[in-house]
Amino acid sequence: MIWFTVVLLLLGVVNASPFLHKHHSCENNQTTIRREWGQLSVAQRINYTDAVKCLARKPPRLPTKDYPGVRSRFDDFVATHINQTLKVHYSGLFLPWHRRFLHLWETALRDECGYTGYLPYWNWPLWADDLKKSPLFDCSSSSLSGDGEYNPGEQALAGGNVTIPRGSGGGCVPKGCGPFADFEVHLGPFSRNIVSLTELPEPKFDYNPRCLNRSLNHFVATHYTNTTLIDNLMAATNITQFQTAMDHWPARPDGVFGLHGGGHFSLGAAMQDLFASPQDPAFMLHHGMIDRLWTNWQAQDEKNRRYAVNGTTTILNPPWGQKVTLDTVMEFGVLDRPRRIREVMSPTAGGFCYTYT
Ligand SMILES: [Cu+2]
């Protein structure tokens, strides 16, 4: 009888304790808010780009002996992405792996480089009509720099049955164009053709210093990152449909990008590099938008979507690929310990505590 009473008391304590309840929902932290770039003040935007440039000046954790192209903390993120590319794109790992990757990036900016805000995102359709005039790419001191210099050699892109017109730049981001005008990238470039689904292609981790290349592409931005496509994505009734609308392979037979590819191909060569694209400082904001849409979609149907996964652990989900489950382990190299997919399925659990505007 005494034990029975003790158990009842304990249950009562647990149920009545706001501390414990909060602990389970967001691990006792206050929910942080990730905002659109245009919603940040000028000072907050500069605080962000200053922190990014700070990471690019800090020494790497990866050994330069094995990773000659890794020259900074910033490059640790690029190389980790390169290492995982053949597992975490066009696969069942795409959404969960990049969610954790963004969190690690946000944490590094805050803990190592004095950033006081949270990960900003790039709401594509807000600016698609004129990327060059957007607060993201207008070359102002509070932007992520802007278009590259006009390069007459840039070609149109052939994708399936459509030809995608070339962008308006194609060269280096010029002097005077925002905080990344003199930014040097070190890794890649990788070919767009995937020759092996399992073996990392050349140039692997070679050191190849060069400028940040951009080519803003109005055609891609308006055709492949518009509200119609987002509405279609959000109307998906299961994770497979959602993945297809978000992330199908760039050159589908009808020539349509997924929204993920749309954002990448709106910005030019650096962002079109499947392996080394985190070298463009816009990468994390683009993926912030992807994570935001997944977050919102998951929240619309907790029961069926919160833990919904589909696909394999290999790029393009080949028939022999290993099916993902919530227990599938994802790797983050020097950035983090391995994580199970289950740990990252909610933005308010597993060490996450964020929401999007
Ligand atoms: Cu990626």
Side-chain angles (χ1 to χ4, degrees):
M1 187 60 189
I2 288 164
W3 282 112
F4 184 68
T5 310
V6 169
V7 168
L8 274 184
L9 276 171
L10 279 172
L11 283 173
V13 167
V14 169
N15 280 333
S17 164
F19 174 79
L20 282 175
H21 186 255
K22 218 178 164 202
H23 185 82
H24 283 288
S25 66
C26 220
E27 301 189 346
N28 212 30
N29 295 313
Q30 233 197 324
T31 308
T32 61
I33 303 173
R34 293 180 174 179
R35 296 176 201 279
E36 214 279 331
W37 187 252
Q39 294 174 323
L40 301 183
S41 69
V42 164
Q44 289 170 326
R45 290 180 211 156
I46 293 173
N47 179 211
Y48 182 81
T49 54
D50 278 352
V52 173
K53 291 201 285 186
C54 155
L55 273 190
R57 286 190 306 265
K58 295 232 159 177
R61 290 185 191 167
L62 284 168
T64 309
K65 182 171 68 72
D66 304 325
Y67 296 83
V70 173
R71 301 296 167 118
S72 68
R73 265 304 267 160
F74 181 99
D75 291 344
D76 279 343
F77 283 84
V78 181
T80 300
H81 186 269
I82 290 171
N83 245 339
Q84 296 299 317
T85 291
L86 295 173
K87 296 178 181 164
V88 303
H89 298 96
Y90 308 104
S91 78
L93 297 179
F94 175 67
L95 295 165
W97 189 87
H98 285 83
R99 173 173 282 172
R100 185 76 201 162
F101 190 59
L102 294 178
H103 172 80
L104 297 168
W105 170 256
E106 181 187 68
T107 305
L109 290 176
R110 290 175 56 82
D111 292 355
E112 298 171 44
C113 278
Y115 181 50
T116 58
Y118 299 96
L119 182 77
Y121 66 93
W122 162 26
N123 191 344
W124 318 300
L126 282 183
W127 317 111
D129 280 343
D130 199 347
L131 282 174
K132 278 185 201 187
K133 293 216 172 95
S134 74
L136 287 137
F137 304 116
D138 68 0
C139 284
S140 66
S141 60
S142 60
S143 69
L144 303 172
S145 291
D147 206 359
E149 248 153 10
Y150 183 75
N151 170 4
E154 185 182 303
Q155 304 287 314
L157 294 163
N161 297 333
V162 296
T163 300
I164 293 157
R166 54 155 293 165
S168 50
C172 299
V173 170
K175 272 197 176 26
C177 175
F180 299 103
D182 53 358
F183 198 66
E184 191 180 78
V185 306
H186 304 141
L187 291 149
F190 289 85
S191 159
R192 208 172 303 138
N193 303 317
I194 293 175
V195 286
S196 165
L197 301 186
T198 51
E199 245 184 80
L200 184 60
E202 298 296 328
K204 296 187 178 159
F205 301 102
D206 286 359
Y207 180 52
N208 183 17
R210 60 201 189 281
C211 71
L212 175 63
N213 190 297
R214 287 252 179 86
S215 188
L216 302 187
N217 194 309
H218 181 256
F219 181 90
V220 176
T222 51
H223 282 75
Y224 302 121
T225 65
N226 59 43
T227 49
T228 309
L229 293 179
I230 293 178
D231 291 347
N232 175 54
L233 172 88
M234 295 306 284
T237 56
N238 60 55
I239 186 65
T240 308
Q241 274 178 24
F242 185 87
Q243 288 167 324
T244 303
M246 179 65 88
D247 194 36
H248 58 71
W249 183 238
R252 211 167 60 168
D254 59 6
V256 181
F257 290 106
L259 286 157
H260 169 222
H264 277 279
F265 280 75
S266 294
L267 298 189
M271 267 289 268
Q272 289 170 18
D273 188 321
L274 178 63
F275 293 82
S277 49
Q279 291 189 125
D280 187 319
F283 174 95
M284 300 291 179
L285 285 81
H286 172 50
H287 274 268
M289 179 65 172
I290 291 169
D291 187 61
R292 171 179 179 257
L293 295 172
W294 184 36
T295 294
N296 292 346
W297 184 82
Q298 285 183 300
Q300 284 173 9
D301 184 350
E302 283 293 330
K303 192 163 81 63
N304 293 307
R305 298 181 185 177
R306 175 60 59 205
Y307 290 100
V309 294
N310 166 66
T312 72
T313 62
T314 302
I315 193 164
L316 298 172
N317 293 325
W320 49 263
Q322 200 187 336
K323 287 247 172 256
V324 297
T325 70
L326 293 173
D327 288 316
T328 300
V329 173
M330 306 182 289
E331 305 281 346
F332 297 90
V334 289
L335 303 179
D336 195 12
R337 66 172 171 83
R339 301 277 169 175
R340 289 186 195 280
I341 288 182
R342 184 191 314 282
E343 293 178 69
V344 307
M345 294 303 280
S346 166
T348 55
F352 300 149
C353 196
Y354 65 84
T355 184
Y356 289 95
T357 55

